[in-house]
Amino acid sequence: MGKVKFSPMGKKTFLISFLLGTCLLLLFWMTRAEFLVILGFYYVLIAAVVNLLITLYELMEYLSDVSEKKRNGNSVLLLLLNIPVTFLYLNLFLIFADLNTWPH
């Protein structure tokens, strides 16, 4: 079985989104700083739009370019993996951040 190939743009987008989201979540867990909740919210919105645009681009490349099909198709799947990761992080955040204990 050969090595799985991804397009450079898809791979970089996945890694940047995943690592930034992970860093924000870990930083929030360590500091419990309220501004990180707001920053994280805007990050998720921006990352969702960017990931959607890159996924659509990769999908269009996959459907139109016969020679690079496998690489772009793998990148689409890799980018779609960010969706369950985001929901997992949101669930972990809600479990960890007992919002009722925050000062108002």
Side-chain angles (χ1 to χ4, degrees):
M1 185 172 218
K3 183 179 178 185
V4 178
K5 295 182 180 181
F6 302 101
S7 72
M9 186 184 338
K11 187 176 180 180
K12 286 178 188 174
T13 304
F14 170 79
L15 287 173
I16 290 169
S17 294
F18 179 78
L19 292 175
L20 280 176
T22 302
C23 288
L24 278 171
L25 183 63
L26 291 175
L27 192 59
F28 170 75
W29 279 353
M30 289 187 286
T31 65
R32 296 197 39 107
E34 192 169 341
F35 82 92
L36 288 172
V37 174
I38 297 165
L39 182 66
F41 174 75
Y42 286 111
Y43 168 74
V44 168
L45 290 178
I46 292 167
V49 170
V50 169
N51 276 283
L52 178 64
L53 292 174
I54 301 297
T55 301
L56 290 175
Y57 171 78
E58 294 288 343
L59 187 59
M60 294 302 290
E61 287 292 314
Y62 174 74
L63 295 173
S64 64
D65 188 6
V66 178
S67 64
E68 295 290 327
K69 269 190 172 184
K70 191 157 186 85
R71 191 170 83 166
N72 292 103
N74 289 337
S75 293
V76 168
L77 294 175
L78 184 66
L79 289 164
L80 289 175
L81 222 133
N82 272 330
I83 295 169
V85 169
T86 301
F87 284 118
L88 173 67
Y89 283 6
L90 177 63
N91 193 27
L92 290 173
F93 167 75
L94 292 174
I95 290 169
F96 182 80
D98 185 19
L99 296 177
N100 295 328
T101 62
W102 285 14
H104 296 289

